Amino acid sequence: MKLVIHGKNIEITDAIREYVHQKIEKAVSHFQNITNEVDVHLSVARNPRINPRQAAEVTIFANGSVIRAEESSENLYASIDLVADKISRQLRKYKERRIDKKTQAQPTTDVVVPEPVVADLIGDRTPELPQEVVRTKYFSMPPMTVAEALEQLQLVGHDFYMFHNAETGEINVIYERNHGGYGVIQPRNNNGHTNGHTNGKNGKTHHVVMPEKSHSK
């Protein structure tokens, strides 16, 4: 297993490196067969008013999936402890889902509802980019279904997940809606329509039934 440690506003000392190896390797010890690479990012906020301000983020690449956890506190070693526990739980859930897929066909309840296309999102405002790009990430984007994208969204712990839609060949974004359930953002063609999920006959968009969302953290 490859373990890479990065630091921002902090020197990665031998003591920190040894502690990360000890905690993270223990957290993934029962999942070595599915873990390809572990990326650990440690950071300390420069602004002393930010509390908590010492963060540990772990990203695991497992058989084409990305599993992520992040924790922060006033103490870096405590943050490492917290994120190690969290990533272990995430890996356990991921492995259980893989087993469930092979052995069960559970009824599904959550629905991904394609959002209506808005003609103008920003009005007369001028688009602006952030003044500073604080971090850049690169991920492979193998084609996947909306159901697989939802699973990835739940694994990385973000509010949204960008993916390469296997059905349309386009880049889509799946996100958690404020009022429950999930939505999918799709690009609009020049003719004003989206290449969303259609039934192939009348071009009507249909709902996609998704696995029930876990509420455990």
Side-chain angles (χ1 to χ4, degrees):
M1 179 189 70
K2 180 181 179 182
L3 195 156
V4 181
I5 305 174
H6 308 275
K8 180 181 179 183
N9 301 331
I10 183 175
E11 179 186 356
I12 307 299
T13 64
D14 291 340
I16 292 176
R17 188 178 303 276
E18 181 179 350
Y19 196 78
V20 169
H21 274 272
Q22 175 188 344
K23 291 295 181 177
I24 301 303
E25 288 178 357
K26 181 179 179 181
V28 304
S29 60
H30 297 296
F31 310 98
Q32 294 276 5
N33 59 323
I34 62 173
T35 303
N36 307 120
E37 180 179 339
V38 180
D39 183 281
V40 180
H41 186 82
L42 307 176
S43 62
V44 175
R46 289 183 175 179
N47 188 343
R49 292 176 298 178
I50 298 176
N51 185 27
R53 58 192 182 92
Q54 302 199 29
E57 177 184 342
V58 176
T59 304
I60 291 181
F61 302 90
N63 294 341
S65 297
V66 179
I67 304 165
R68 176 187 169 276
E70 181 176 1
E71 290 288 348
S72 58
S73 69
E74 296 181 356
N75 181 279
L76 182 63
Y77 288 91
S79 298
I80 295 170
D81 289 342
L82 291 169
V83 80
D85 290 340
K86 188 172 183 179
I87 202 67
S88 180
R89 294 194 301 269
Q90 291 284 77
L91 281 167
R92 189 178 302 111
K93 290 195 311 185
Y94 170 72
K95 190 171 184 178
E96 289 171 354
R97 287 173 182 167
R98 292 183 66 198
I99 295 173
D100 288 343
K101 280 185 177 180
K102 295 179 180 178
T103 60
Q104 300 178 7
Q106 295 286 354
T108 55
T109 56
D110 287 346
V111 175
V112 173
V113 182
E115 294 289 297
V117 177
V118 180
D120 189 356
L121 295 175
I122 64 172
D124 57 358
R125 292 174 295 167
T126 302
E128 296 182 2
L129 294 174
Q131 294 183 354
E132 180 183 3
V133 177
V134 296
R135 192 173 179 193
T136 301
K137 293 185 178 181
Y138 299 92
F139 294 105
S140 61
M141 298 184 69
M144 65 179 64
T145 64
V146 176
E148 291 169 335
L150 174 59
E151 184 175 317
Q152 288 296 310
L153 171 66
Q154 294 170 337
L155 287 173
V156 299
H158 285 313
D159 296 329
F160 69 92
Y161 183 79
M162 182 179 292
F163 68 101
H164 181 188
N165 193 317
E167 297 182 20
T168 65
E170 296 176 335
I171 302 300
N172 290 177
V173 175
I174 186 169
Y175 65 96
E176 187 172 354
R177 304 174 76 242
N178 291 334
H179 301 292
Y182 301 90
V184 175
I185 299 176
Q186 303 167 330
R188 189 224 299 264
N189 292 334
N190 293 333
N191 59 8
H193 298 288
T194 61
N195 284 339
H197 303 284
T198 62
N199 60 13
K201 294 181 180 180
N202 54 19
K204 292 183 179 180
T205 302
H206 65 75
H207 292 173
V208 181
V209 181
M210 307 304 298
E212 184 176 357
K213 179 187 174 186
S214 171
H215 295 284
S216 62
K217 295 295 183 183

